[in-house]
Amino acid sequence: MALYGGARDISMFRRVNRELMGNIISQEVIFYKYNVTTTKTNMYGESVEGRNFADPVILFALVERGNPASPVSDLGVDYTYPLIVRFLRDDLISKYDSANQGQGFGPFQAQPIQYGASIQPAVGDVIQYENGFWEIDNTYNTQYFVGKDPQYPYYDADGENPLNNGLENFGYSVEVKCECHYVPSDRLNIIKSRM
């Protein structure tokens, strides 16, 4: 059986990360989930009146900016500005998940707080950071607490792990990493009405 990475370790790690993201780093982004069902498309699968998005959600994130560039091609000057945005996975899952029931941090410690936005980042979603918009190109779930993904304990034919039984109770998926590219706001059909 594994020694570290159980429920108590994960709970402490989750609480420290939430306090770090919420009280110390406090970097916020606005997340726009692409709504496929309400976007009208033509016979080629292109949006007719622009893409539609669900209501925006403000989330804490770690943002890593790339270097902006202006490459020149036969079509003229373009503008590229890569961005990597990292979210705590627990802030994205459902607020009704047992991992998201608990006490607040900082001045809100006495109040029970429900986290979770019920969002799964996907290609085509848009993130607003400062005054710009970035569209998600790729998403990754590759950072694990104690290096273990609890969804893959590897059982044998008898339904047991011969090396380490009960391994599904250890480990924890920490973050969702999104690689994004810059998109001019006039291409998105997003209008800032009030915030």
Side-chain angles (χ1 to χ4, degrees):
M1 175 157 299
L3 294 176
Y4 301 103
R8 289 184 62 192
D9 298 330
I10 292 168
S11 176
M12 191 241 3
F13 187 73
R14 180 181 293 124
R15 188 171 171 90
V16 167
N17 275 331
R18 283 210 168 118
E19 186 169 350
L20 180 67
M21 294 289 286
N23 285 347
I24 297 171
I25 298 171
S26 299
Q27 179 64 59
E28 295 178 333
V29 297
I30 301 174
F31 191 92
Y32 294 89
K33 182 72 178 161
Y34 177 50
N35 195 338
V36 179
T37 56
T38 61
T39 301
K40 296 179 183 176
T41 58
N42 60 18
M43 62 189 229
Y44 302 109
E46 301 165 335
S47 62
V48 178
E49 300 168 357
R51 295 187 291 171
N52 292 331
F53 296 92
D55 292 335
V57 177
I58 298 174
L59 297 167
F60 290 118
L62 293 176
V63 178
E64 181 182 334
R65 298 180 193 197
N67 294 325
S70 300
V72 178
S73 67
D74 294 339
L75 301 173
V77 179
D78 199 6
Y79 181 71
T80 61
Y81 193 177
L83 194 76
I84 296 175
V85 181
R86 300 169 194 265
F87 299 103
L88 285 176
R89 185 186 150 279
D90 289 332
D91 288 349
L92 301 176
I93 62 176
S94 173
K95 64 182 172 184
Y96 301 109
D97 189 280
S98 62
N100 283 332
Q101 306 296 317
Q103 299 295 315
F105 50 83
F108 307 107
Q109 278 183 328
Q111 302 171 353
I113 292 178
Q114 289 184 329
Y115 296 95
S118 298
I119 292 175
Q120 181 173 358
V123 174
D125 294 341
V126 172
I127 296 171
Q128 180 181 353
Y129 173 64
E130 293 179 348
N131 289 327
F133 294 92
W134 280 263
E135 185 175 346
I136 296 176
D137 295 325
N138 293 310
T139 62
Y140 304 98
N141 297 333
T142 56
Q143 186 178 25
Y144 301 106
F145 180 58
V146 297
K148 165 102 182 50
D149 185 358
Q151 294 181 4
Y152 299 100
Y154 298 114
Y155 296 120
D156 62 8
D158 299 328
E160 295 181 9
N161 186 324
L163 299 176
N164 213 345
N165 202 13
L167 212 53
E168 68 276 359
N169 299 321
F170 293 86
Y172 163 64
S173 178
V174 178
E175 73 167 5
V176 175
K177 176 182 172 183
C178 301
E179 291 180 347
C180 312
H181 71 274
Y182 178 78
V183 179
S185 60
D186 59 343
R187 292 190 201 167
L188 292 174
N189 197 25
I190 294 176
I191 299 170
K192 181 178 174 181
S193 58
R194 59 187 161 149
M195 228 185 270

